[in-house]
Structure formats: structure tokens, C-alpha cells
Amino acid sequence: LLPDAKLVVLLRDPVERALSQIFHARKRGFEVLEPTEAIAAEAERLANADPVSLQKHSYVARSRYLEQLDRYETLFRPAQLLVLQSEALFEQPHWVWNDLQRFLGLQNISLPPLPKANAGEGENKTVDPALRSQLRSVLATTALGVRERYGFGWDWA
């Protein structure tokens, strides 16, 4: 339908994305387990192919960016896909805005006011450091692959 469509992908630190999804699910009542238990239960939940779990409990799976991007990259030419680091959008918005305009072939206009980054309610400060370390280990291949493929990454990678 749209052979010349251009797609923009923002990738967040995959560990922080997974944790944020857990806190969001807990807030919305989709998750009753504590973060460590939720991560431990993910594989079994997804193996049961329950549609709710596939959508709501795929914390680590959704942070495996390369597997997801591989599917897009088989369908779209490289010139149709711009992959950006979401942290850069908030830390260096003018650079990202310029890249985005160039990619979309838009006339250069000033950056409009940006919404504040969704930082949650500070739940991420309560995460057990061992869980964060475990997730960094599990998602290290993703972080390394993003760095190699797209030229950016996260300090822990």
C-alpha cells in the first residue's frame, strides 16, 4: 500500500524499557507480581501463548530489539527506516530533530516544545540492583547489536 513509507523507530535502554513496562502493567492491574518475579515468570507465561501474556507480560521479549527490527528490515529498504535512541531525543533534541527532518525530506523548521519525558513515579529507583544486573546480562546481545548496527548504545553495554 505504501511502498515509499518512512518509518521512525525510537529505542529506549532495553533494561529500563522492560522495567518501565512492568511498572506500567502493575499500575494498570495487568501484573500482580513483583518485578523480579514477573521477569522470572515471563518465559512460562509466553510459552502458554495466552494472548494477554503475549501483550502484557513480554517484558524482556519486547526489549529484544534486533529480532523485531529484523522483520522490518526484510520488508523495508534501509533508506525507509530511521532508528534513533530515545534518550538522545530528550538529551539532544535539536540534533535528533534535524536528523528526523533530513530523513523525512522536510524543510528545516524550529523544534517545537517537547513534552517532558515520561519518568514514571520513581519506581525505577526501587529496583533491586541484582535484577537490573540480570537484565543487563540477558539483554547484552541486544545492546551490542544495536551499537554495531545503528551506532548508538547505552553506557552499561
Side-chain angles (χ1 to χ4, degrees), residues 32-92:
V32 296
L33 301 176
E34 292 296 320
T36 301
E37 297 165 331
I39 294 296
E42 180 177 345
E44 184 176 336
R45 286 169 156 177
L46 298 183
N48 293 332
D50 170 20
V52 172
S53 283
L54 291 174
Q55 168 107 26
K56 305 294 183 190
H57 302 137
S58 52
Y59 310 116
V60 173
R62 285 185 176 197
S63 286
R64 295 187 191 280
Y65 299 140
L66 299 179
E67 291 86 344
Q68 298 173 60
L69 287 164
D70 285 346
R71 292 191 291 271
Y72 283 97
E73 290 175 355
T74 61
L75 298 171
F76 298 95
R77 298 181 316 278
Q80 291 180 267
L81 190 64
L82 177 64
V83 180
L84 301 167
Q85 183 178 22
S86 66
E87 292 88 353
L89 177 62
F90 294 102
E91 294 167 10
Q92 303 168 329

Side-chain angles (χ1 to χ4, degrees), residues 6-26:
K6 292 194 173 191
L7 306 170
V8 178
V9 178
L10 285 172
L11 300 181
R12 182 179 183 186
D13 176 319
V15 169
E16 299 308 315
R17 196 221 62 77
L19 293 169
S20 178
Q21 183 184 347
I22 292 171
F23 293 124
H24 179 81
R26 287 174 56 86

Side-chain angles (χ1 to χ4, degrees), residues 78-111:
Q80 291 180 267
L81 190 64
L82 177 64
V83 180
L84 301 167
Q85 183 178 22
S86 66
E87 292 88 353
L89 177 62
F90 294 102
E91 294 167 10
Q92 303 168 329
H94 293 285
W95 291 103
V96 174
W97 180 246
N98 290 336
D99 287 347
L100 181 60
Q101 289 181 102
R102 199 169 22 260
F103 172 72
L104 295 174
L106 299 175
Q107 192 172 16
N108 210 2
I109 62 169
S110 297
L111 177 67

